[in-house]
Amino acid sequence: MEQATISRPAAAPAKSSMMQLIPVMLCFFTMGFVDLVGSATNFLKQDLNLSSAQAGFLPSLVFFWFLIFSVPTGMLMNRIGRKKTVLLSQLVTLLSLVIPVLGDSYPLMLVAFSLLGIGNAIMQTSLNPLVSGLIAPSRLASTLTFGQFVKALASLLAPYLMSWGALGIVPAFGISWRIVFPVFALVNIASVLFLGATPIKEERADKATGFLECIKLLGIPFVTLCFLGIMCHVGIDVGTNTFAPQILIEKFGYAVEDAVVGTQIYFYFRTGGCLLGSWILARMSARNFFAASVAAMIGGIVCLFIASSPATVLTGIALIGFGNSNIFSVIFSQALIAQPREKNEVSGLMIMGLFGGTVFPYCMGVAQDGLGIAGAIAVMTVGVLYLLFYTFRIKTVK
């Protein structure tokens, strides 16, 4: 089958300096703070004696705000610029990290996780287009993948901080697994100061648009395919992040502090996949690499279904982590390059697709309550099958 092509915009962005990319990559690190919700949910489920559905609602709540704030953020960027919008997102994220230090009630955590979701929705909508203004289209997918690698470092660090705190290995602050919140808050402050002091010349603002005009872009079939692909990617990501420890708990009787190894394995391989993917995508067609990634996830799902030992479960989690590591970058870059005159609006739509992080964990929690952990895995399988379908719709940049 002959592959369709995407033409580059008329003018490629100017080359960026290292001093511009470093603070932007630090922002990608703070973007990864949202992934602490997976491990935190398992600790909160134990601390507050929550049901699976109640626990699953916490990550669902975080990603619900992507549905509400992503498109308005795309319009906000047209008014105040991408850098200022990223800085706004950092301040909201900082507030979300301070609140859990003040108390541990379920309502308070709902507020904190809501602010974490709002801040991350604004950040992901504005940071990716900011990068696109610094990088040539042919390098965009690999650069965004490297950003996802940096983001994954924070995702990987979070469960370690929580488990160290829970085991008393980190006595400072004296707040058990909650040590993750003040530590990440300090990094967040550094990111705000670094980016705020860095001059970045942005592309000319896109034309002013309204909410309905942004939504109408979903009438473009390829944009809709990308939107659904983002939903499935993040659903698999948050679902694995949240439910990997629960597979070990339900099937093999692991304690929560030990079961966090499932999340750690996931982020090890997702982090390694991002680092490797940033190199491969600069040398290999996006379609072929995407197909290999989906194949790895299918293998991982099979391992989870047939698992008879912890080693098989961890192998499945590793395959899903590695396979899912570069899905976002490929889909997002495809959408931006396909509609170069509406980057802000398309970015808002794609990040709105992270609402899949609400749909999947909640459905997985309900399925787990009714059918056991196999029900949760079955829900995640639906997302993997869609990505297999999307593989044959990927276009190439000429």
Side-chain angles (χ1 to χ4, degrees), residues 228-246:
L228 294 175
I230 293 290
M231 282 194 68
C232 292
H233 154 73
V234 74
I236 295 165
D237 184 63
V238 179
T240 308
N241 179 11
T242 304
F243 285 86
Q246 295 184 33

Side-chain angles (χ1 to χ4, degrees), residues 266-330:
Y266 176 74
F267 285 120
Y268 270 135
F269 280 84
R270 199 184 79 169
T271 302
C274 287
L275 182 59
L276 185 61
S278 64
W279 182 81
I280 293 177
L281 279 168
R283 296 162 174 81
M284 182 178 182
S285 78
R287 174 179 287 187
N288 290 341
F289 187 56
F290 196 93
S293 299
V294 173
M297 284 192 283
I298 292 173
I301 291 290
V302 171
C303 286
L304 297 185
F305 270 121
I306 67 173
S308 58
S309 67
T312 309
V313 172
L314 295 178
T315 299
I317 292 170
L319 286 170
I320 295 172
F322 185 83
N324 206 30
S325 59
N326 298 287
I327 298 296
F328 177 86
S329 301
V330 173

Side-chain angles (χ1 to χ4, degrees), residues 16-28 131 134-135 139 143 198 200:
S16 57
S17 69
M18 184 61 65
M19 291 308 296
Q20 287 176 316
L21 285 177
I22 290 176
V24 168
M25 288 301 156
L26 183 57
C27 290
F28 271 102
V131 173
L134 300 174
I135 299 296
R139 296 173 50 209
T143 303
T198 302
I200 296 179

Side-chain angles (χ1 to χ4, degrees), residues 145-205:
T145 293
F146 185 76
Q148 291 297 308
F149 161 70
V150 176
K151 173 179 178 288
L153 292 177
S155 304
L156 181 62
L157 179 61
Y160 273 110
L161 283 174
M162 292 185 208
S163 60
W164 290 341
L167 295 172
I169 297 175
V170 185
F173 300 107
I175 51 176
S176 71
W177 65 268
R178 295 171 184 271
I179 192 172
V180 69
F181 296 110
V183 170
F184 277 1
L186 291 175
V187 177
N188 202 99
I189 292 171
S191 179
V192 170
L193 296 176
F194 198 1
L195 180 64
T198 302
I200 296 179
K201 184 178 180 180
E202 300 183 26
E203 296 174 301
R204 182 175 59 84

Side-chain angles (χ1 to χ4, degrees), residues 40-114:
T41 294
N42 288 288
F43 282 107
L44 286 169
K45 183 179 181 182
Q46 176 179 264
D47 291 352
L48 304 179
N49 195 27
L50 304 176
S51 69
S52 295
Q54 285 177 311
F57 181 69
L58 287 169
S60 296
L61 179 63
V62 170
F63 288 91
F64 167 77
W65 299 106
F66 286 85
L67 179 66
I68 305 299
F69 280 89
S70 298
V71 171
T73 299
M75 296 184 290
L76 179 64
M77 284 190 288
N78 287 335
R79 294 181 177 274
I80 68 173
R82 296 166 184 168
K83 176 183 169 181
K84 289 182 179 178
T85 306
V86 173
L87 289 172
L88 173 64
S89 73
Q90 296 272 32
L91 295 176
V92 176
T93 300
L94 178 61
L95 181 59
S96 75
L97 297 170
V98 171
I99 289 177
V101 179
L102 305 178
D104 61 357
S105 69
Y106 188 64
L108 198 62
M109 295 307 299
L110 291 177
V111 173
F113 280 24
S114 291

